[in-house]
Amino acid sequence: MLFSGNISAKATICLANIFVKAYKRIMRTKSAPFNMERFFQALGDNTRLRLLNLMGDQEICVCYFVEILDQPQPKISRHLAYLRRAGIVEARREGKWMHYRIVMPPNIGAAQVFRQTLSWLKEERNMQADRSRLSKACCTPERFAALQGAPLPVPVDRPIAPEVR
């Protein structure tokens, strides 16, 4: 009886610690002001623009970026992390797979610039070629060794808009 009470108390403390960490993370995110400089720097790199173009209105696994852009995984991950820190990409883990999707910046002006940029990317010939390669990879993943067993991109209704601060 005394033994089971200790386990219950330890479990309660463990859960309390988890909730406190989650609360701190949420509060840190909410209180951080939008970094305009980081936002524009994120849009100032061709690899990051290509990544945003491929995401479009989908949630995509990193392995597709690596295959389509023909770049090493660490480079792709570094650029995705930069986009995440800029507040315009969100990540989700599913087992061993990391999925990325676009989120709209919380700043109204930045969101307008971002929508225009995404629209403009669709008109660029090089960006269209990347999207075409993505479509082919999704339709015939067996032709790409790196994509064996990878989850297909999932359409997103529209880019997620976080709370306006």
Side-chain angles (χ1 to χ4, degrees):
M1 189 77 161
L2 181 63
F3 183 71
S4 66
N6 285 339
I7 291 175
S8 178
K10 287 180 181 179
T12 302
I13 291 170
C14 183
L15 282 174
N17 284 335
I18 291 170
F19 286 122
V20 167
K21 286 179 184 176
Y23 177 77
K24 284 181 179 178
R25 186 176 52 229
I26 289 168
M27 293 312 292
R28 187 172 44 245
T29 306
K30 284 187 174 183
S31 64
F34 181 72
N35 187 326
M36 191 66 67
E37 181 180 5
R38 182 174 282 161
F39 168 73
F40 280 106
Q41 287 174 343
L43 298 179
D45 180 86
N46 191 52
T47 300
R48 291 192 285 270
L49 289 174
R50 291 176 76 191
L51 290 167
L52 291 168
N53 172 60
L54 288 172
M55 279 180 252
D57 55 357
Q58 308 178 86
E59 184 178 77
I60 301 182
C61 179
V62 172
C63 57
Y64 282 93
F65 297 132
V66 171
E67 189 67 35
I68 302 308
L69 301 182
D70 193 28
Q71 298 289 324
Q73 185 270 327
K75 178 180 179 179
I76 297 294
S77 292
R78 185 175 67 249
H79 284 288
L80 288 166
Y82 197 100
L83 292 169
R84 230 178 33 247
R85 285 191 305 274
I88 55 179
V89 165
E90 179 178 84
R92 177 181 66 85
R93 179 178 292 281
E94 184 179 319
K96 68 178 184 173
W97 309 104
M98 284 299 292
H99 302 268
Y100 288 85
R101 66 167 46 180
I102 290 174
V103 293
M104 282 296 134
N107 179 284
I108 294 169
Q112 291 173 340
V113 168
F114 193 48
R115 281 188 194 95
Q116 274 305 121
T117 302
L118 294 174
S119 177
W120 174 69
L121 291 175
K122 291 178 183 177
E123 299 170 10
E124 284 295 304
R125 191 174 296 260
N126 293 340
M127 300 296 176
Q128 290 171 353
D130 284 348
R131 289 180 75 92
S132 176
R133 282 193 296 278
L134 177 62
S135 292
K136 289 176 186 172
C138 292
C139 294
T140 57
E142 63 276 359
R143 291 182 46 208
F144 302 90
L147 299 178
Q148 296 300 314
L152 290 173
V154 178
V156 177
D157 291 335
R158 59 182 160 66
I160 297 173
E163 290 180 24
V164 176
R165 294 180 204 141

